[in-house]
């Protein structure tokens, strides 16, 4: 067990977690699981979240302050945002093409529609309420929200990651503009914090196999050990899954092939532990520390690039979420018997892209933004009740794609800057 690569240990943890969950549901160990197993999963996620803000702050400040001039930052920034947009639009388009070809909604019986609508009406309303808050704000609210008025309160919640990024960039850029002599202690401080946090990531990762065991065990018990509803929504779920697989098996390998020298198999080996955490936590934000560590230490992405590209990606680049939103929006429309015309489909491309940028990197966030996508094409947002039952599992899968997309873009940007170094094959999997 000791010499096993981390991702194998995590896979074993996941499998045992699912097996445990099935057995616990079967033997009625619900209370035991809630009291004694689930808390470990929660602790594991808290540990990951605990270091997200200090990590982003320290690594971005370290990364930017090491630049010799600010023009490199704006170059990396422009490239990053362009590639993020391109990959998101590809994802939404794939989703749209698939859902239009497969038409999962047209085979959906009206009885099932009523049953699910009634069963999930209150959950759906809660999401609609959150979405209404987002929708009421003006078009520039996104930019307004990015500028914090108080750095302490900005760093007090993981939800304000863009504000933290904004402050860190401002801080780092100011350091570059000052003579080195004036900032040497501040720089030493943030460099040191960065090293310490990375060590903490290593320590937390030692507990990852146990953490994912508890998370998945708890989840299966929550599902009641039954996958009945998954069957009812099988074709819809499969459409989303095929789209997500196309991103992982087609689009990202193509990006890597065209723009980098990194072999996809090596990329996959290096990033696998982050993908598994994304799956188990359903949160790109919680996975961020590990994504950064894997990209830097195991894929050879320079710290300058990863410290900028990955925190930004965790918040604004969600290919999996945008693909799912496109499929879900059209599925709900089909289930309600609407035929969407080309302009409505194009509206989906635009709103799903913007919605995935706006979605928080936490479980279930994509669904809140789906309400906005539905409203933009004139479909009753209560339709989300139809897909609630399978959302958690699809959330886990789309988060894997979100994280893989961020890592791919980090590798592409690093390669374009000549900052993707070759790694020792031993380091890929350790
Ligand atoms: N859970 C996703 C993430 O954190 C967001 C979503 O699609 O709900 O990346």
């Amino acid at each position: 067990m000791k010499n096993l690569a981390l991702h194998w240990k995590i896979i074993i943890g996941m499998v045992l977690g699912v097996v445990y969950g099935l057995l616990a549901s079967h033997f009625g160990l619900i209370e035991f699981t809630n009291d004694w197993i689930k808390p470990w999963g929660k602790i594991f996620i808290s540990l990951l979240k605990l270091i997200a803000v200090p990590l982003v702050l320290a690594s971005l400040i370290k990364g930017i302050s090491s630049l010799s001039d600010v023009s490199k930052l704006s170059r990396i920034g422009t490239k990053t945002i362009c590639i993020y947009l391109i990959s998101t639009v590809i994802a939404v388009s794939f989703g749209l093409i698939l859902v239009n070809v497969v038409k999962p909604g047209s085979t959906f019986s009206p009885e099932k529609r009523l049953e699910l609508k009634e069963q999930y009406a209150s959950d759906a309303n809660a999401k609609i309420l959150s979405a209404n808050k987002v929708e009421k704000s003006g078009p520039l609210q996104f930019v307004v929200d990015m500028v914090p008025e108080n750095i302490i309160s900005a760093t007090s919640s993981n939800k304000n990651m863009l504000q933290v990024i904004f402050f860190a960039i401002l801080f780092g850029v100011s350091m570059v503009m000052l003579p080195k002599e004036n900032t040497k202690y501040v720089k030493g401080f943030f460099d040191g914090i960065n090293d310490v946090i990375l060590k903490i990531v290593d320590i937390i990762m030692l507990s990852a196999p146990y953490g994912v065991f508890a998370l998945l065990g708890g989840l299966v018990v929550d599902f009641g050990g039954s996958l009945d509803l998954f069957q009812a929504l099988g074709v819809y779920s499969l459409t989303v899954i095929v789209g997500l697989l196309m991103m992982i098996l087609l689009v990202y390998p193509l990006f890597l092939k065209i723009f980098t020298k990194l072999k996809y198999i090596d990329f996959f080996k290096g990033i696998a532990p982050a993908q598994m955490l994304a799956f188990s936590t359903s949160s790109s934000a919680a996975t961020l520390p590990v994504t950064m560590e894997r990209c830097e230490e195991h894929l050879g992405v320079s710290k300058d690039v990863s410290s900028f590209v990955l925190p930004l990606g965790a918040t604004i680049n969600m290919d999996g979420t945008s693909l799912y939103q496109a499929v879900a929006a059209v599925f709900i429309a089909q289930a309600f018997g609407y035929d969407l015309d080309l302009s409505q489909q194009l509206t989906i491309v635009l709103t799903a892209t913007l919605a995935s940028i706006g979605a928080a990197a936490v479980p279930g966030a994509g669904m809140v933004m789906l309400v906005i996508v539905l409203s933009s094409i004139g479909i009753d947002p209560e339709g989300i009740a139809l897909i609630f039952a399978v959302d958690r599992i699809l959330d886990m899968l789309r988060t894997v794609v979100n994280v893989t997309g961020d890592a791919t873009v980090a590798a592409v940007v690093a390669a374009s800057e000549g900052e993707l170094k070759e790694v020792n094959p031993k380091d890929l999997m350790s």
Side-chain angles (χ1 to χ4, degrees):
M1 189 75 179
K2 250 200 165 155
N3 298 327
L4 221 51
L6 180 63
H7 65 263
W8 283 117
K9 290 187 195 162
I10 300 182
I11 290 185
I12 294 174
M14 288 163 90
V15 172
L16 290 180
V18 173
V19 172
Y20 167 81
L22 291 172
L23 289 174
S25 305
H26 185 73
F27 292 109
L29 294 174
I30 316 293
E31 220 179 296
F32 175 82
T33 309
N34 287 341
D35 289 348
W36 296 99
I37 304 289
K38 267 192 179 174
W40 297 109
K42 193 161 179 350
I43 291 173
F44 178 60
I45 295 200
S46 301
L47 281 172
L48 287 168
K49 287 188 177 161
L50 169 73
I51 47 172
V53 167
L55 176 65
V56 169
L57 204 58
S59 68
L60 252 183
I61 292 178
K62 177 183 160 133
I64 294 173
S65 62
S66 327
L67 301 177
S68 44
D69 65 295
V70 186
S71 66
K72 180 173 173 191
L73 176 68
S74 61
R75 201 176 57 234
I76 296 182
T78 316
K79 274 186 211 168
T80 307
I81 290 173
C82 287
I83 309 178
Y84 276 159
L85 277 177
I86 294 171
S87 69
T88 306
V89 171
I90 294 178
V92 182
S93 312
F94 268 18
L96 278 182
I97 294 171
L98 272 173
V99 73
N100 280 299
V101 172
V102 181
K103 294 200 180 12
S106 41
T107 55
F108 202 67
S109 73
E111 298 80 50
K112 194 84 216 161
R113 189 168 75 209
L114 252 178
E115 186 191 319
L116 286 172
K117 262 191 98 168
E118 274 166 21
Q119 197 174 347
Y120 291 96
S122 64
D123 293 335
N125 282 336
K127 295 274 176 194
I128 293 171
L129 273 181
S130 329
N132 283 347
K133 271 193 219 138
V134 180
E135 221 177 358
K136 278 213 188 81
S137 33
L140 280 184
Q141 192 59 37
F142 170 67
V143 188
V144 174
D145 288 344
M146 220 163 72
V147 183
E149 56 180 43
N150 182 311
I151 187 57
I152 308 287
S153 67
T155 49
S156 70
S157 157
N158 284 354
K159 291 204 184 90
N160 301 331
M161 208 54 100
L162 282 180
Q163 297 190 345
V164 177
I165 293 175
F166 178 87
F167 177 78
I169 293 177
L170 196 62
F171 199 96
V173 167
S174 309
M175 279 170 74
V176 177
M177 293 164 112
L178 282 165
K180 282 208 164 46
E181 187 50 35
N182 296 19
T183 55
K184 69 174 185 241
Y185 295 113
V186 181
K187 181 153 175 44
F189 173 75
F190 281 108
D191 288 1
I193 296 249
N194 192 49
D195 290 344
V196 173
I197 301 279
L198 285 180
K199 192 80 233 151
I200 300 181
V201 176
D202 283 346
I203 299 174
I204 296 175
M205 284 310 279
L206 294 178
S207 67
Y210 309 98
V212 296
F213 169 87
L215 283 170
L216 289 190
L219 213 60
V220 174
V221 169
D222 280 348
F223 281 140
S226 112
L227 294 175
D228 267 8
L229 276 163
F230 199 68
Q231 272 168 9
L233 291 164
V235 186
Y236 156 71
S237 309
L238 273 181
T239 313
V240 176
I241 292 171
V242 169
L244 296 177
L245 281 175
M246 280 165 83
M247 292 305 291
I248 297 245
L249 299 176
L250 211 79
V251 178
Y252 300 140
L254 216 63
F255 266 61
L256 290 171
K257 195 164 172 60
I258 297 175
F259 300 107
T260 75
K261 290 202 180 91
L262 197 60
K263 286 205 207 80
Y264 191 60
I265 184 79
D266 291 342
F267 170 82
F268 198 75
K269 281 179 191 157
I271 202 67
Q275 290 176 318
M276 283 162 207
L277 279 194
F279 181 80
S280 315
T281 61
S282 286
S283 165
S284 341
T287 313
L288 179 62
V290 181
T291 318
M292 289 178 76
E293 196 255 357
R294 297 307 296 186
C295 283
E296 288 164 15
E297 311 288 325
H298 304 266
L299 296 181
V301 175
S302 75
K303 285 200 166 55
D304 279 4
V305 171
S306 77
S307 66
F308 177 76
V309 176
L310 292 171
L312 198 66
T315 14
I316 71 165
N317 183 49
M318 297 196 182
D319 299 342
T321 301
S322 59
L323 185 145
Y324 137 86
Q325 281 170 338
V327 177
V330 180
F331 167 75
I332 293 169
Q334 289 169 348
F336 282 151
Y338 294 110
D339 232 351
L340 298 179
D341 58 25
L342 188 68
S343 81
Q344 281 169 309
Q345 306 249 2
L346 288 177
T347 309
I348 295 182
V349 176
L350 189 72
T351 41
T353 304
L354 294 177
S356 72
I357 293 175
V362 294
M367 197 169 224
V368 175
M369 302 312 269
L370 176 60
V371 171
I372 295 176
V373 178
L374 284 175
S375 316
S376 74
I377 48 169
I379 305 281
D380 180 2
E382 276 179 33
I384 59 169
L386 301 188
I387 53 166
F388 235 100
V390 286
D391 197 63
R392 181 61 208 240
I393 180 95
L394 294 182
D395 192 1
M396 296 159 87
L397 294 169
R398 64 189 188 241
T399 310
V400 174
V401 174
N402 292 346
V403 167
T404 313
D406 296 343
T408 306
V409 176
V412 169
V413 173
S416 76
E417 289 288 314
E419 294 188 16
L420 185 68
K421 62 173 196 289
E422 268 189 46
V423 272
N424 185 340
K426 252 185 30 228
D427 288 339
L428 287 170
M429 309 188 44
S430 58

